[in-house]
Amino acid sequence: MLLEIIVSCLYFTNKLLLLFEKRSGWMFGLLASALAMIYFFNLSFYLFFSLELACFVIMFLGLFAEKMSIKVSIGIYAVVGLVMLYLLFNIRESGWMEFATSILFMCAFLLLAKKKYFNGWLCLGISHGMMLLVTFEKGEHFFALMQGLSLVVCGVAMWRTTRRRLISS
């Protein structure tokens, strides 16, 4: 329960800081991803565990976006995607919802790291909605609640991004 709260709060802080385009959001994301790997492994959510490996890398990319090429991150994602497919077909506990959520999270963070804000926040919002369903179904109520709050942050971020586009036009 304690790890669930810590991971949830760190990831929520990550979203809030990214909403305000603070570089420290990526640092919170690094810490959240590292702890989330332990959390999801303990829950036997092996697809989400592998997602967190990829998220850890993309949080690093977000922190040092100028120094890491998009090809490197796509290569890392391709490897993680293949691992996820393997897990999906070889571990009974894995499901298509976990897989789809994981792919969307990876796409979202990659888009945000590359400053494609509207599409990144949209993918992130959809993935938080899906994660809310998966974690609530597994009885992880606090984590599910934080997914709902993160969904609200994604909505605000999309609104801000759209508003900026309209003002600059």
Side-chain angles (χ1 to χ4, degrees):
M1 177 71 170
L2 180 61
L3 188 57
E4 173 186 14
I5 292 169
I6 292 169
V7 168
S8 298
C9 291
L10 285 171
Y11 261 133
F12 187 71
T13 303
N14 158 258
K15 304 302 176 310
L16 286 176
L17 291 169
L18 291 180
L19 171 66
F20 295 107
E21 298 177 24
K22 301 291 183 190
R23 193 167 183 221
S24 58
W26 297 107
M27 289 185 272
F28 273 85
L30 277 169
L31 183 57
S33 291
L35 293 175
M37 283 187 259
I38 297 165
Y39 173 68
F40 287 125
F41 188 82
N42 288 337
L43 290 176
S44 300
F45 279 167
Y46 300 114
L47 286 175
F48 288 157
F49 168 79
S50 59
L51 161 69
E52 291 303 333
L53 287 172
C55 282
F56 185 83
V57 171
I58 208 62
M59 294 296 174
F60 190 81
L61 171 67
L63 190 58
F64 302 105
E66 298 82 34
K67 297 180 183 180
M68 187 181 277
S69 80
I70 190 84
K71 289 179 183 176
V72 169
S73 59
I74 289 173
I76 291 164
Y77 274 14
V79 169
V80 170
L82 290 173
V83 168
M84 286 180 173
L85 277 173
Y86 174 81
L87 293 171
L88 176 67
F89 291 113
N90 291 296
I91 296 179
R92 257 189 247 161
E93 294 83 19
S94 300
W96 285 102
M97 186 77 142
E98 274 184 71
F99 180 74
T101 304
S102 298
I103 296 299
L104 273 171
F105 267 117
M106 288 192 304
C107 291
F109 283 120
L110 183 60
L111 288 165
L112 289 174
K114 290 302 176 180
K115 299 186 184 339
K116 301 200 184 288
Y117 295 117
F118 185 83
N119 292 333
W121 287 109
L122 177 63
C123 285
L124 197 58
I126 294 168
S127 53
H128 275 299
M130 293 169 72
M131 179 73 90
L132 186 155
L133 295 173
V134 170
T135 55
F136 186 80
E137 184 179 286
K138 291 283 187 175
E140 300 296 315
H141 301 294
F142 185 80
F143 200 83
L145 170 68
M146 295 304 284
Q147 297 304 304
L149 292 175
S150 293
L151 184 57
V152 171
V153 171
C154 293
V156 170
M158 289 172 52
W159 173 78
R160 284 183 55 165
T161 303
T162 302
R163 195 173 120 233
R164 279 190 194 153
R165 282 185 190 169
L166 293 174
I167 290 171
S168 67
S169 297

